[in-house]
Amino acid sequence: MSDPVQPVQEVIEATLRDNDLEYTHHRGGGVLPALVVSLPGERRLKTNTILSIGEHSVRVEAFVCRRPDENFEAVYKFLLKRNRRLYGVAYTLDNLGDIYLVGWMANASVTADEIDRVLGQVLEAVDADFNTLLELGFRTSIQKEYQWRVARGESLKNLQAFEHLIADGTSDLIDQGDDPGA
């Protein structure tokens, strides 16, 4: 009996190589192969995505962010509305409340184009939604981090996207005296 997984794995690996995507082999707790693909982004600099190859389908899973600290209803409403516009994947939660994108591709549908579409959707969703999820679910933490960095003279460069969340009138410090090389 032939291995139904091997041809699918070969297509996936060839596609990843052709697109210059970094990946590693991972077996995890299962016997079936999995590939961990590193998708480079802008807002979220890297999204590791697991492609678990099964006998009948490939499971796609990407960690997006940890469980929100606050404003759960708004975060979950955003995720549910966003699911309506996603291709091949959907937002979900794990048992801890951490946010993931998860989807499946039938082995018969695994082609270079389909892998590109699904991984492209993962990257687009995470990159487009990451800051919104942080703003909705971690606003207080972002504000505290900002105040902590200002008090210690730390770089504020990676908080620039959240400048509008700073309500104390000191947000202009992001543009003043911050080390541009940091």
Side-chain angles (χ1 to χ4, degrees), residues 1 22 25-26 38 46 65 78 91 101 126 128 133 140 151 167 177 182:
M1 181 158 87
E22 293 179 24
H25 293 91
H26 178 69
S38 180
K46 181 171 83 168
C65 71
F78 174 83
Y91 280 109
L101 278 169
V126 172
L133 291 169
T140 302

Side-chain angles (χ1 to χ4, degrees), residues 21-142:
L21 292 171
E22 293 179 24
Y23 70 94
T24 58
H25 293 91
H26 178 69
R27 286 222 180 254
V31 268
L32 295 173
L35 302 169
V36 180
V37 183
S38 180
L39 300 175
E42 292 177 19
R43 291 178 189 95
R44 182 150 193 252
L45 298 179
K46 181 171 83 168
T47 300
N48 287 327
T49 304
I50 300 171
L51 302 174
S52 302
I53 306 165
E55 188 176 338
H56 302 288
S57 64
V58 175
R59 185 172 193 269
V60 180
E61 181 177 349
F63 173 78
V64 178
C65 71
R66 67 179 174 83
R67 179 181 183 266
D69 290 341
E70 60 194 349
N71 205 9
F72 300 102
E73 185 175 325
V75 171
Y76 301 149
K77 183 177 181 179
F78 174 83
L79 295 175
L80 287 172
K81 286 176 136 183
R82 184 68 161 110
N83 276 345
R84 294 183 65 204
R85 298 185 317 271
L86 296 177
Y87 176 83
V89 292
Y91 280 109
T92 188
L93 307 174
D94 69 5
N95 291 336
L96 300 174
D98 293 343
I99 300 169
Y100 287 81
L101 278 169
V102 177
W104 291 266
M105 293 182 282
N107 283 354
S109 72
V110 174
T111 63
D113 286 343
E114 188 65 5
I115 295 164
D116 185 56
R117 268 189 291 277
V118 172
L119 291 179
Q121 178 63 89
V122 168
L123 181 58
E124 183 279 327
V126 172
D127 223 36
D129 300 342
F130 189 65
N131 285 356
T132 302
L133 291 169
L134 294 182
E135 288 176 21
L136 290 171
F138 302 94
R139 181 184 196 112
T140 302
S141 294
I142 291 168

Side-chain angles (χ1 to χ4, degrees), residues 154-169:
E154 300 283 333
S155 173
L156 302 170
K157 185 174 177 150
N158 69 343
L159 293 177
Q160 286 178 342
F162 307 106
E163 182 176 11
H164 61 282
L165 298 179
I166 311 305
D168 65 2

